[in-house]
Amino acid sequence: MRIILLGAPGAGKGTQAKKLSLKYNIPHISTGDIFRANIKNGTELGIKAKEYMDKGLLVPDELVVELVTVRLTQEDCKRGYVLDGFPRTIPQAQALDIALDRTGERIDCAIEVDASDMAIIKRMSGRRACPVCGATYHIVSIPPRKEGICDNCGAELILRDDDKPETVQKRLEVYHEQTQPLLSYYKDKGILKTVDGVKDADETFKDIVAILGAISA
Ligand code: AP5
Ligand code: MG
């Protein structure tokens, strides 16, 4: 199963992608997570990406496309994958199509996790992330078992640099301008489905699983 998760920053893509990865035993490929890992390790890519991410801007396509298309050729992607945060622009989607054409593969489903800007702004200030394993929580709706501590690895949770309210606002603007056009792109291909991302995360997950079940039946 090859799945793309679309949706605004904070809509819940990462939350749903992790659940999908576990259920279907396919890798969760998050370009945001890849960049954050590079920033943490001080790589050249990380240094370049941080410049854009901290301003709420997209990292230039040329830095993203190769990274992902190479990742998709790895052995663990043979059975499928869930893409979270890629593609994010029309040129990225076109580059993905070209890469898939080469191997005769196709995306089974592009799922939009839908949430209003207002719901997102309310949510983002409550997000806490694990800087070590990448798990995400919400202080009210999806809290860790022990306050401020990651359930998986015991690290201290942080507020992401780009979750400051003014940066969230910019990320939403960028989403509407550059990423939202992908909804029509995948609708035209007949593979777009939309789920409500504002309800309980487990309920949203059930909706996604039902959609995928219907596709693979
Ligand atoms: P990225 O890491 O992809 O960030 P994003 O798209 O802005 O999305 P988020 O990770 O902020 O939100 P999410 O939808 O994953 O929501 P989450 O599940 O955490 O990218 C970061 C940056 O990297 C970009 O701004 C850009 O600069 C760069 N970048 C990445 N990919 C790129 C690309 N392809 N091209 C160019 N640049 C790129 O949920 C949010 C919060 O809500 C959490 O606290 C969660 O616990 C909570 N929550 C989730 N679901 C629910 C629910 N149903 N009810 C209540 N709370 C919920
Ligand atoms: Mg995410």
Side-chain angles (χ1 to χ4, degrees), residues 21-212:
S21 167
L22 278 176
K23 179 168 173 72
Y24 295 103
N25 193 22
I26 49 176
H28 166 204
I29 300 175
S30 156
T31 39
D33 287 351
I34 295 172
F35 289 135
R36 281 184 288 279
N38 275 275
I39 291 172
K40 198 170 142 226
N41 294 329
T43 67
E44 201 181 320
L45 176 66
I47 292 165
K48 277 189 197 153
K50 187 169 171 34
E51 226 181 277
Y52 298 91
M53 288 168 75
D54 282 354
K55 293 185 190 136
L57 301 174
L58 295 187
V59 174
D61 290 339
E62 59 271 24
L63 292 182
V64 189
V65 166
E66 206 194 321
L67 184 87
V68 178
T69 48
V70 169
R71 175 70 185 84
L72 297 186
T73 62
Q74 287 176 2
E75 191 58 34
D76 64 338
C77 290
K78 289 254 155 62
R79 289 184 51 251
Y81 40 78
V82 50
L83 286 176
D84 161 15
F86 180 92
R88 237 181 172 94
T89 63
I90 295 282
Q92 288 181 20
Q94 290 167 334
L96 175 64
D97 282 344
I98 292 169
L100 289 171
D101 277 348
R102 261 186 242 130
T103 50
E105 292 168 340
R106 60 179 176 78
I107 297 294
D108 297 294
C109 194
I111 298 170
E112 177 200 9
V113 182
D114 183 38
S116 70
D117 287 11
M118 251 176 45
I120 285 170
I121 289 168
K122 217 169 126 192
R123 240 185 218 179
M124 296 299 254
S125 59
R127 172 163 58 184
R128 294 296 178 271
C130 174
V132 176
C133 75
T136 46
Y137 303 88
H138 189 278
I139 51 176
V140 179
S141 51
I142 311 175
R145 284 193 293 271
K146 187 167 177 228
E147 196 186 321
I149 301 295
C150 179
D151 289 349
N152 299 338
C153 69
E156 207 166 309
L157 301 175
I158 56 159
L159 182 72
R160 255 168 55 178
D161 282 347
D162 57 350
D163 279 349
K164 286 179 288 187
E166 59 280 20
T167 315
V168 170
Q169 191 61 50
K170 184 68 200 169
R171 284 162 66 201
L172 282 168
E173 277 170 40
V174 167
Y175 171 75
H176 291 303
E177 247 170 60
Q178 300 191 54
T179 307
Q180 217 167 12
L182 290 180
L183 299 179
S184 309
Y185 185 88
Y186 288 111
K187 191 168 178 212
D188 290 349
K189 287 181 181 288
I191 58 167
L192 180 75
K193 301 281 177 193
T194 299
V195 293
D196 178 0
V198 181
K199 50 187 178 180
D200 182 83
D202 289 335
E203 293 299 316
T204 304
F205 184 61
K206 276 189 203 149
D207 293 347
I208 297 177
V209 170
I211 288 169
L212 296 176

